[in-house]
């Protein structure tokens, strides 16, 4: 009897076709199955230092994300970070971090399936997000490396402006809100659909 | 085309294109650039509608958003009520009719798109008139982010309606130059057809953009018709201009009576002559350019009636050159005409007394009572106002941080003054932003000769005034509300002293136009009536929205499937595929039940219940809130928040727990499993997941910050599948071959980490039905795989998926309460019969002290009991009241309690209910009554646990 790997499904696994129909100015794809760990630790504590040494990073400050290696660290609260790593890294990272923390006080919790990640890119990203995000996404105000936990339309999201992709934004959304958010994004693009010229309407 | 009142050589409409429209059933034509009002006037139509109370014919008073009269209903292409003809851009195929104050909502769904856009800027400028353009240009040159919003289709504001010159050329040329420069600035956004309607805290300004209304049926469907802009601005400059106000005199409401400045706008912007023969009645200089420009375009000005004794020499000269006679120290006392004004009654007015009257024939009576700065938004922003007796209007006094006015909104009524003020406003805003540069030279304008001050005149005495008082019954203040000077005097006569009270008594200022032409006049008349200074009365308060905004626009895209987020679990596609009907639980869609072909709701639920009690059934429990509690002090925190002891729980075991508020009332319940020495995982009710996390964090962060424990929500990391029924053990054994499912190895209220269907899983022996049951938790990605594997493994046992309805029945048969359904925030654990879940050992926990309150110890509190209707088929409605007698006594009827849950039970083969009943425990065995459909249903009070009281079924 062969042992099959059990099948797993990300919250937006059925949405590729619809994402493919988005206007050329906006590319959306789901980054499924990323490793996500919630880290709670007092900034500046011995435990925080241990985590930083273990990951080879400095825990980013408020509203910032840092990604020196393959572990991206998102600030999500005064003593809370989300560690994001490629698929399948949770066991290894949990073990390494807990070992590094030792008897100091910090907690790391696997929440990998709690959220899914959408990668947005293209010249329309900010215009589309501005339909539902009250924060100022102008690059001068919200430069690469910004990490904002906010509402997009009516869905709570963590929004990360990426360094390596111009106009690249990552949206981390709770799995249960993912299809709502995807529906909203598609609808927000109605005005820019390729079959309507692909550009916003200037009304003149 | 035959539009008899179009003035050759005037206006900015596109005469090469003709638009057809229908008004009140008659076909007319107009041109691009027209409003519905200008097109009607071009066709000689003044009478738009009859007034709401008195049915008096009414015309077009103004040329913009201040219009009180000319309300219309659009019938085609899409019905829309209550628009002002002066702000509806004309388009081909427009069908409209006049409205007497009340419109008609469409019976058809509005299929147009509406949306919202957030925007941010250093400086928001509201109004693209001379002041606003000067501000915007100066700020743009400083390189700051600017948004300019303007309600008209094109920039220019008042310049579009005048013949003024800037830098030696027509002012509109300057407008074009400015706009071209702004277009080249990447950080400047100009929004035309956009009206700011609300100023909120921290520089948030809401504006409505009408994007495609002006295209009528040609509007593209994929573009939003209207858009709400949510603009967050560091600095705001309100260059909102000023509104001309009329004067109250007898019969001042007839069609053909128009504000003088508006007539000027109709001529210069639209190329329309509002009449052939005009009388001009003014209290200030501003009506003279109107009279002269109209005369130059062909209207005969029969007379200028100036309430002032002194008229500046240059106006006298200019009028004389046109052959226009001026009657200084005169007023208009009344008018004649029915459908249209035919005659103005003119009389000398000196020392407060009217002289002999004389009639002057006219088809147009222009009125100017002075100008009110448009301060609604400035005032909304908490800018204070002061009364300026020189102009008879309220002007900005103290501006809050980050907000200022420019131009005539601040009382700078001349063009040169407005331009200079606009530049100055930019300088101040830039300074507040810490920016330098951005000064521009103030554009040059022709020097103005000295004017004469405005004579502040609210009301001309009526010739009908007598010894017994003033007769203002035909002197209209608020034309839309049909409210007169008499109404104001009745209000002050009734003892009202506040303009706010007078506003509500008379309804003046409460219509769509927010009293732009009537508010200050009403304050003035109240002041005169009370013999006080207008300055002491103040204006009425300005509130958003400053202009009418459709609910459709405010709703934006939050309609249909986007109305509210629909939250779904990872198993949702399976539920849909298998025909589940869904119940809304908060934002979640949860399977309600899974009907088979031809089954009724009752039949389906009874079948699902039977499967759970006699075979095996499964449900999606993923929505349960889950909170990971980790740290050396985790047990201490839980001991303080749950009523029972959690720190003694052994690793590998599970305990049920109740949480109370500080008042000792139940706020949530759930299970707590001890994952490790320093780690617990607790569940909350579905609807309370976020609330309980916040509740726990609040205690932790504000009261016990020293505890070394962290909370992490993991609700959506897990898919949770309850597997329920006597055969559940068999199914689990098949799906988890490595797990010893025997009762000794895996006892009730314990958990094990294992592999289910090849997936690492945490299996808990928890039962919310009284049956042998397991809860299988796997990372959500694997949920579907594990669910299907369990479903396959259970097929030999007839495994049945069930929904929330069956879950409710099963738990109610066991008297497991649902917090929020069987409780309402006034119910203690003791009321629920759960004294066993309240620790007697713990020194303290949230809610403990309240349990000793006398009120909490009363024996006649409402307690949870079950009710069995005498008729086993009668299903009591949830919420039904319970009384003591078989006949309903005279009110007030003493209520003993109410039904909280009510179901048909397959296991009991009858209906039953849970209820909160006063002294319920003591009443067990009694018969009580539930009024239902005009009769009363006898019910027997019983112990709440109706099924398997001994608990023999939980181990299978």
């Amino acid at each position: 009897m062969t042992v099959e790997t059990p099948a797993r499904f990300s919250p937006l696994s059925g949405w590729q076709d619809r994402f493919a129909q988005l206007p050329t100015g906006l590319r959306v794809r789901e980054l499924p199955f990323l490793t996500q760990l919630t880290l709670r630790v007092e900034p500046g504590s011995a435990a925080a230092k241990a985590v930083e040494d273990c990951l080879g990073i400095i825990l980013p400050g408020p509203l910032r994300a840092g990604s020196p290696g393959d572990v991206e660290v998102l600030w999500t609260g005064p003593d809370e970070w989300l560690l994001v790593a490629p698929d399948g890294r949770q066991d290894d990272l949990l073990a390494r971090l807990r070992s590094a923390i030792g008897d100091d006080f910090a907690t790391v919790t696997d929440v990998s399936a709690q959220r899914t990640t959408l990668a947005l890119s293209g010249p329309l990203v900010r215009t589309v997000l501005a339909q539902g995000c009250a924060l100022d996404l102008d690059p001068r105000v919200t430069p690469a490396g910004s990490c904002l936990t906010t509402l997009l339309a009516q869905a709570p999201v963590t929004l990360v402006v990426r360094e390596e992709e111009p106009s690249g934004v990552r949206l981390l959304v709770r799995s249960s809100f993912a299809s709502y958010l995807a529906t909203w994004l598609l609808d927000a693009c109605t005005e820019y659909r390729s079959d309507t010229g692909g550009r916003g309407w200037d009304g003149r | 085309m035959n539009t008899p009142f179009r003035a050759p050589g005037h206006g900015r409409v596109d005469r090469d294109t003709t638009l057809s429209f229908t008004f009140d059933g008659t076909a007319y034509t107009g041109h691009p650039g027209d409003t519905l009002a200008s097109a009607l006037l071009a066709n000689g139509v003044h009478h738009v509608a009859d007034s709401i109370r008195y049915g008096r014919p009414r015309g077009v008073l103004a040329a913009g958003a201040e219009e009180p009269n000319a309300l219309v209903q659009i019938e085609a292409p899409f019905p829309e009520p209550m628009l002002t003809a002066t702000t509806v851009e004309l388009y081909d195929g427009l069908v409209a009719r006049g409205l007497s104050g009340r419109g008609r909502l469409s019976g058809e769904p509005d299929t147009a798109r509406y949306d919202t856009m957030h925007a941010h800027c250093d400086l928001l400028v509201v109004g693209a008139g001379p002041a606003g353009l000067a501000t915007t240009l100066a700020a743009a040159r400083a390189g700051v982010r600017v948004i300019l919003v303007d309600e008209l289709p094109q920039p220019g504001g008042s310049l579009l309606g005048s013949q003024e010159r800037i830098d030696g050329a027509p002012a509109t040329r300057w407008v074009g130059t400015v706009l071209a420069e702004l277009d080249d600035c990447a950080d400047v956004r100009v929004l035309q057809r956009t009206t700011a309607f609300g100023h909120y805290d921290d520089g948030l300004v809401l504006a409505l953009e009408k994007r495609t209304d002006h295209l009528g049926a040609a509007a593209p469907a994929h573009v939003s018709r209207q858009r709400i802009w949510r603009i967050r601005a560091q600095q705001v400059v309100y260059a909102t201009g000023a509104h001309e106000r009329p004067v109250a005199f007898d019969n001042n409401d007839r069609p053909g009576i128009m504000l003088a400045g508006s007539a000027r706008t109709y001529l210069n912007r639209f190329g329309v002559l509002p009449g052939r023969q005009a009388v001009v009645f003014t209290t200030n200089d501003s009506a003279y350019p109107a009279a002269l420009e109209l005369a130059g375009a062909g209207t005969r000005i029969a007379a200028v009636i100036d309430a002032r004794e002194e008229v500046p020499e240059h106006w006298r000269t200019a009028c004389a050159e046109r052959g226009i006679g001026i009657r200084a120290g005169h007023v208009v006392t009344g008018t004649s005409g029915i459908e249209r004004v035919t005659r103005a009654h003119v009389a000398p007015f000196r020392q407060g007394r009217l002289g002999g009257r004389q009639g002057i024939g006219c088809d147009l009576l222009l009125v100017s009572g002075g100008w009110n700065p448009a301060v609604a938004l400035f005032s909304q922003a908490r800018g204070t106002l002061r009364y300026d007796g020189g102009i008879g209007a309220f002007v900005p006094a103290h501006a809050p941080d980050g907000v200022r006015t420019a131009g005539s909104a601040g009382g700078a009524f001349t063009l040169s003054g407005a331009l200079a003020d606009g530049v100055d406003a930019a300088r101040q805003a830039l300074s507040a932003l810490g920016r330098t540069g951005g000064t521009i030279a103030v554009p040059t304008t022709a020097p103005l000769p000295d004017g004469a001050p405005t004579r502040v005149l609210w009301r001309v005495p009526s010739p009908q005034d007598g010894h017994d008082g003033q007769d203002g019954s035909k002197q209209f203040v608020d034309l839309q509300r049909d409210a007169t000077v008499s109404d104001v005097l009745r209000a002050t006569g009734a003892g009202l002293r506040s303009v706010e009270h007078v506003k509500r008594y008379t309804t003046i200022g409460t219509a769509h136009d927010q009293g732009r032409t009537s508010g200050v006049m009403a304050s003035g008349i109240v002041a005169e009536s009370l013999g006080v200074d207008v300055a002491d009365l103040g204006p009425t308060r300005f509130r958003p929205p400053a202009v009418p905004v459709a609910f459709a626009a405010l709703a934006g895209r939050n309609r249909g499937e986007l109305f509210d987020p629909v939250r779904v679990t990872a198993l949702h596609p399976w539920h849909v595929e298998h025909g589940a009907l869904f119940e809304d639980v908060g934002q979640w869609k949860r399977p309600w039940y899974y009907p088979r072909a031809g089954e009724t709701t009752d039949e389906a639920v009874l079948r699902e219940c039977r499967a759970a009690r006699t075979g095996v059934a499964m449900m999606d429990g993923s929505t349960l809130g889950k909170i990971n509690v980790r740290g050396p002090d985790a047990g201490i925190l839980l001991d303080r928040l749950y009523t029972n002891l959690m720190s003694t729980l052994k690793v590998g075991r599970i305990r049920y727990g109740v949480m109370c508020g500080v008042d000792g009332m139940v706020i949530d319940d759930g299970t707590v499993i001890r994952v490790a020495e320093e780690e617990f995982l607790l569940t909350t009710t579905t609807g309370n997941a976020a609330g309980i996390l916040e509740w726990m964090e609040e205690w932790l962060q504000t009261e016990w910050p020293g505890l070394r424990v962290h909370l992490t929500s993991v609700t959506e990391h897990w898919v949770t599948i309850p597997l329920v029924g006597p055969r559940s053990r068999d199914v689990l054994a098949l799906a988890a071959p490595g797990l010893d499912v025997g009762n000794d190895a895996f006892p009730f209220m314990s958990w094990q980490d294992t592999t289910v269907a090849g997936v690492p899983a945490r299996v808990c022996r928890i039962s919310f039905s009284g049956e042998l049951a397991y809860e299988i938790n796997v990372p959500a990605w694997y949920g579907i795989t594990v669910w299907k594997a369990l479903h396959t493994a259970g097929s030999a046992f007839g495994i049945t998926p069930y929904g929330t309805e069956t879950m409710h029945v099963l738990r109610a048969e066991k008297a497991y309460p649902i917090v929020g359904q069987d409780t309402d925030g006034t119910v203690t654990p003791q009321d629920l019969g759960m004294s066993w879940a309240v620790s007697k050992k713990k020194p303290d926990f949230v809610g403990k002290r309240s349990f000793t309150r006398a009120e909490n110890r009363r024996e006649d509190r409402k307690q949870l009991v079950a009710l069995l209707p005498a008729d086993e088929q009668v299903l009591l409605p949830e919420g039904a009241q319970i009384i003591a007698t078989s006949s309903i006594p005279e009110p007030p009827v003493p209520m003993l309690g109410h039904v909280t849950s009510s179901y048909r039970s397959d296991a009991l083969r009858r209906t039953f209910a849970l209820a909160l009943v006063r002294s319920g425990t003591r009443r067990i065995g009694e018969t009580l009554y539930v009024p239902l459909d005009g009769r009363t249903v006898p019910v027997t009070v019983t112990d709440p646990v109706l099924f398997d009281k001994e608990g023999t079924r939980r181990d299978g």
Side-chain angles (χ1 to χ4, degrees):
Chain A
M1 188 175 131
T2 54
V3 178
E4 286 182 36
T5 309
R8 53 183 187 167
F9 300 91
S10 61
L12 297 176
S13 54
W15 282 76
Q16 282 94 332
D17 289 350
R18 278 168 281 183
F19 289 154
Q21 288 164 16
L22 285 168
T24 49
L26 180 68
R27 287 178 301 283
V28 175
R29 72 201 157 91
E30 186 187 22
L31 307 177
F33 310 128
L34 295 181
T35 295
Q36 297 176 49
L37 309 177
T38 294
L39 167 70
R40 299 283 308 262
V41 63
E42 187 64 32
S45 65
K49 182 79 172 63
V51 168
E52 291 180 334
D53 290 346
C54 174
L55 296 176
I57 55 150
I58 301 291
L59 290 172
L63 308 180
R64 299 293 297 167
S67 56
D70 62 352
V71 179
E72 188 170 12
V73 187
L74 314 182
W75 182 92
T76 53
D79 62 353
E80 186 170 344
W81 288 264
L82 191 68
L83 312 180
V84 182
D87 184 7
R89 295 284 307 281
Q90 47 269 60
D91 292 344
D92 165 54
L93 276 171
L94 279 170
R96 279 172 50 204
L97 285 163
R98 285 180 183 158
S99 157
I101 293 163
D103 288 336
D104 287 327
F105 178 52
T107 59
V108 195
T109 307
D110 182 14
V111 292
S112 298
Q114 174 111 314
R115 296 179 185 83
T116 193
T117 306
L118 287 172
L120 276 59
S121 60
L124 278 175
V125 167
R126 285 187 173 78
T127 306
V128 169
L129 293 180
Q131 293 183 46
C133 177
L135 297 174
D136 189 352
L137 299 178
D138 187 297
R140 290 164 291 190
V141 178
T142 305
S146 298
C147 175
L148 314 170
T149 295
T150 182
L151 281 178
L152 180 55
Q154 300 178 70
V157 295
T158 295
L159 185 158
V160 184
V161 183
R162 301 280 291 184
E163 311 239 2
E164 67 272 32
E165 309 158 37
S167 308
V169 164
R170 295 263 168 102
L171 295 175
L172 287 86
V173 60
R174 289 229 178 188
S175 302
S176 66
F177 284 97
S179 62
Y180 163 80
L181 195 70
T183 306
W184 183 88
L185 276 171
L186 253 61
D187 186 66
C189 289
T190 302
E191 186 170 328
Y192 315 103
R193 280 197 329 252
S194 310
D195 59 348
T196 60
R199 299 217 323 251
W201 190 75
D202 67 4
R204 292 184 197 171
Chain B
M1 304 295 289
N2 182 24
T3 44
F5 290 89
R6 203 62 86 167
H10 288 80
R12 306 173 202 287
V13 297
D14 171 14
R15 294 184 197 226
D16 296 334
T17 307
T18 297
L19 305 175
S20 301
F21 70 101
T22 305
F23 184 77
D24 279 346
T26 305
Y28 299 101
T29 61
H31 300 294
D34 264 329
T35 62
L36 176 57
S38 71
L40 286 172
L41 294 174
N43 286 279
V45 179
H46 276 251
H47 180 182
V48 174
D50 293 339
S51 71
I52 187 166
R53 271 171 80 189
Y54 303 121
R56 291 168 68 95
R58 291 282 163 78
V60 177
L61 182 78
E66 72 274 31
E67 171 62 40
N69 265 342
L71 277 187
V72 296
Q73 167 90 32
I74 306 281
E75 299 288 6
F78 187 81
E80 193 174 5
M82 303 289 283
L83 300 174
T84 41
T86 53
T87 60
V88 173
E89 286 184 57
L90 194 69
Y91 48 82
D92 205 48
L94 172 69
V95 179
R97 62 183 171 82
L99 277 186
S100 293
R102 288 194 194 95
R104 176 181 59 80
L105 285 172
S106 170
E108 300 294 307
D110 184 352
T111 56
R113 277 180 76 79
Y114 297 84
D115 66 8
T116 303
M117 192 69 89
H118 297 267
H120 301 261
C121 59
D122 298 312
L123 172 64
L124 169 67
V125 181
V126 179
L133 286 171
T135 304
T136 306
L137 182 63
R141 287 197 183 158
V144 300
R145 290 203 285 167
V146 190
I147 296 176
L148 169 63
V149 302
D150 183 66
E151 63 182 355
L152 297 182
Q154 60 192 111
S158 62
L159 299 175
L160 300 171
S162 80
Q163 297 177 6
E164 300 202 74
R165 299 171 72 82
I166 294 177
D167 292 339
T172 47
R173 188 173 301 169
W174 175 78
V175 173
T177 313
V178 172
L179 199 68
E181 183 170 343
L182 297 179
D183 268 349
D184 288 338
C185 298
D187 274 327
V188 176
R189 177 167 6 216
V190 180
L191 297 170
Q192 295 296 151
R193 300 188 170 96
T194 305
T195 306
F197 63 83
H199 187 119
Y200 303 86
D201 287 349
D202 300 318
L204 177 66
V205 175
L206 264 54
L208 174 73
E209 180 185 11
K210 295 194 168 182
R211 303 183 76 204
T212 68
D213 287 69
H214 61 289
L215 300 176
H222 70 285
V223 175
S224 58
R225 177 172 178 235
Q226 297 181 358
R227 169 174 284 175
I228 299 286
W229 286 86
R230 302 176 61 92
I231 303 167
R232 188 72 72 167
Q234 305 222 22
Q235 299 285 320
V236 182
V237 170
Y238 284 113
T240 41
H243 297 300
E244 199 165 20
R245 62 171 180 268
V247 180
F249 49 82
D250 280 13
N251 299 306
N252 60 336
D253 63 330
R254 300 193 197 285
I257 299 177
M258 184 180 281
L259 293 167
S262 299
R264 198 179 174 202
T265 296
Y266 281 114
L267 173 65
N268 292 308
R269 187 173 148 208
F270 301 104
V272 170
L273 282 179
R276 301 275 185 231
Q277 171 145 321
V279 170
V280 180
F281 173 31
T282 188
T283 64
N284 64 90
D285 284 359
S286 74
Y288 286 89
L292 292 165
E293 288 170 13
L294 282 166
T299 297
R300 193 178 104 71
I301 307 296
V304 174
I305 311 302
D306 197 326
R308 303 172 296 180
E309 293 292 348
E310 183 206 347
V311 175
E313 190 54 40
H314 64 282
W315 292 129
R316 285 191 179 280
T317 309
C319 285
E321 284 169 4
R322 290 268 180 201
I324 300 170
I326 299 175
R327 301 196 193 180
H330 280 59
V331 292
V332 171
T333 64
T335 64
S336 302
I338 297 170
E339 288 287 301
R340 177 88 178 255
V341 64
T342 55
R343 183 175 292 269
H345 307 163
V346 175
F349 182 49
R350 295 191 174 100
Q351 280 87 48
R353 305 171 81 102
L354 291 176
R357 271 177 291 158
Q358 183 196 5
I360 305 176
C362 61
D363 63 355
L364 182 66
L365 171 56
L366 302 185
V367 182
S368 179
W371 293 79
N372 301 328
V375 290
L377 287 156
F378 175 81
S379 176
Q380 279 187 30
R382 305 276 162 181
T384 59
L385 305 175
R386 68 177 172 80
Y387 181 71
D388 181 338
I391 60 171
F394 292 93
V395 297
H398 176 72
D401 284 349
V403 178
R404 48 188 59 79
T405 57
S408 54
F413 289 137
T414 64
L415 177 56
S416 60
L419 290 165
D421 202 32
V423 173
D424 193 50
R427 185 186 56 74
Q428 291 181 41
L430 289 167
S431 163
L433 289 166
R435 301 290 284 256
T436 53
T439 49
I440 61 167
V442 178
T444 56
T445 51
L448 281 183
D450 288 343
T454 297
R455 173 171 183 183
V456 177
L457 178 65
W458 312 114
R459 170 191 184 243
V460 175
S462 169
Q464 311 304 318
D465 287 355
H467 294 297
D468 49 349
Q470 298 170 321
D471 182 358
S473 61
K474 296 287 189 290
Q475 301 186 331
F476 289 87
V477 179
D478 187 326
L479 293 158
Q480 182 54 224
R481 292 295 191 221
D482 254 357
T484 62
V485 170
S486 285
D487 294 323
V488 177
L489 300 179
R490 196 172 299 117
T492 54
L496 304 185
R497 293 293 179 272
S498 154
V499 286
E500 296 286 358
H501 292 158
V502 173
K503 171 178 175 176
R504 281 148 187 82
Y505 189 89
T506 60
T507 72
I508 288 170
T510 60
H512 67 279
D513 60 328
Q514 301 269 292
R516 280 176 174 77
T517 54
S518 57
V520 178
M521 185 201 286
S523 288
I525 294 168
V526 170
E528 275 181 3
S529 161
L530 298 176
V532 300
D533 192 339
V534 187
D536 297 331
L537 283 180
T540 54
R541 174 138 206 90
F542 297 93
R543 294 187 177 85
V547 294
V549 180
F551 282 112
L554 294 171
R557 293 169 49 229
N558 297 325
R559 296 168 72 174
E561 61 180 341
L562 295 175
F563 173 68
D564 194 37
V566 172
R567 298 178 70 183
V568 296
T569 73
L571 306 179
H572 189 74
W574 194 94
H575 306 321
V576 172
E577 210 174 296
H578 290 78
L581 299 183
F582 290 90
E583 180 182 26
D584 291 333
V585 182
Q587 292 175 321
W588 291 97
K589 289 275 181 220
R590 299 195 68 184
W592 187 21
Y593 60 95
Y594 300 78
R596 290 180 180 162
E599 260 183 348
T600 65
T601 301
D602 283 350
E603 289 164 355
V605 172
L606 290 170
R607 171 178 55 75
E608 291 175 8
C609 288
R610 193 155 53 242
R613 292 255 183 250
T614 62
V616 59
M618 62 197 291
M619 83 171 296
D620 182 356
S622 309
T623 61
L624 277 179
K626 302 169 202 76
I627 300 170
N628 189 285
V629 183
R630 193 191 295 258
D633 299 328
I636 299 175
L637 176 70
L638 297 185
D639 279 351
R640 292 180 186 176
L641 291 175
Y642 281 102
T643 58
N644 47 351
L645 204 54
M646 289 297 175
S647 56
T648 55
L649 189 63
K650 291 186 168 52
V651 173
R653 305 292 297 191
I654 306 173
R655 193 166 285 167
Y656 172 78
V658 174
M659 276 193 205
C660 288
V662 291
D663 53 4
M665 304 301 161
V666 174
I667 59 169
D668 204 59
D669 70 341
T671 55
V672 177
I673 78 174
R674 188 156 204 168
V675 180
E677 198 52 43
E678 297 188 355
E679 183 183 0
F680 296 78
L681 180 72
L682 61 90
T683 63
T684 74
T685 49
T686 292
N688 242 351
I692 292 298
L693 181 66
E694 281 170 23
W695 169 255
M696 295 176 72
E697 280 284 3
E698 183 174 350
W699 283 100
L700 187 55
Q701 292 182 23
T702 65
E703 299 298 325
W704 310 314
L707 290 186
R708 296 192 304 160
V709 53
H710 287 143
L711 311 173
T712 305
S713 165
V714 292
T715 299
E716 300 193 32
H717 179 67
W718 301 100
V719 153
T720 302
I721 306 170
L723 184 67
V724 177
R727 307 309 298 269
S728 57
R729 182 175 284 138
D730 302 312
V731 177
L732 183 62
L734 283 173
L739 181 66
D740 183 348
V741 294
N743 200 51
D744 294 335
F746 195 174
F748 184 59
M749 290 309 245
S750 69
W751 63 270
Q752 307 229 14
D753 278 346
T754 183
T755 301
V756 177
V759 174
R762 176 166 296 155
V763 182
C764 303
R765 261 202 69 189
I766 297 171
S767 179
F768 198 42
S769 58
E771 298 298 324
L772 173 70
Y774 301 87
E775 262 184 24
I776 294 133
N777 295 280
V778 292
W781 305 325
Y782 294 104
I784 283 265
T785 297
V786 172
W787 173 275
K788 284 182 176 169
L790 289 167
H791 194 251
T792 304
S795 61
F797 307 95
I799 195 165
T800 302
Y802 69 95
T804 52
E805 191 65 20
T806 291
M807 176 190 79
H808 280 153
V809 178
L810 298 175
R811 65 87 202 174
E813 290 168 346
K814 294 290 293 177
Y816 299 148
I818 301 258
V819 172
Q821 173 162 342
D822 300 302
T823 73
D824 60 3
T826 68
V827 179
T828 66
Q830 296 85 350
D831 297 338
L832 295 172
M834 287 189 177
S835 299
W836 56 268
V838 179
S839 170
K840 314 256 179 324
K841 297 181 203 156
K842 288 195 291 185
D844 203 2
F845 55 86
V846 173
K848 181 181 168 81
R849 284 201 302 171
S850 294
F851 293 146
T852 60
R853 290 197 319 151
E855 179 64 27
N856 287 48
R857 299 175 73 89
R858 280 170 54 163
E859 289 189 0
D860 65 344
R861 287 181 62 81
K862 287 183 180 171
Q863 291 141 354
L864 189 73
V865 292
L867 303 179
L868 294 175
D871 180 342
E872 298 183 349
Q873 294 306 311
V874 169
L875 185 69
L876 301 174
E878 290 174 353
Q881 295 291 322
I882 297 157
I883 62 174
T885 52
S886 61
S887 59
I888 303 174
E890 285 300 305
V893 181
M895 299 296 182
L896 299 179
H898 70 280
V899 173
T900 60
S901 298
S902 178
Y903 310 100
R904 289 181 201 285
S905 167
D906 178 72
L908 305 173
R909 309 216 163 274
R910 57 160 304 136
T911 58
F912 74 104
L914 297 178
L916 288 168
V917 176
R918 189 161 294 289
S919 307
T921 310
R922 196 168 48 72
R923 289 181 193 272
I924 286 174
E926 283 182 22
T927 298
L928 298 176
Y929 299 88
V930 173
L932 184 62
D933 297 334
R935 63 198 168 104
T936 57
V937 176
V939 296
T940 305
V941 181
T942 74
D943 182 273
V945 183
L946 291 170
F947 184 74
D948 186 31
K949 207 169 167 62
E950 301 73 30
T952 58
R953 305 185 61 85
R954 69 160 210 225
D955 292 333

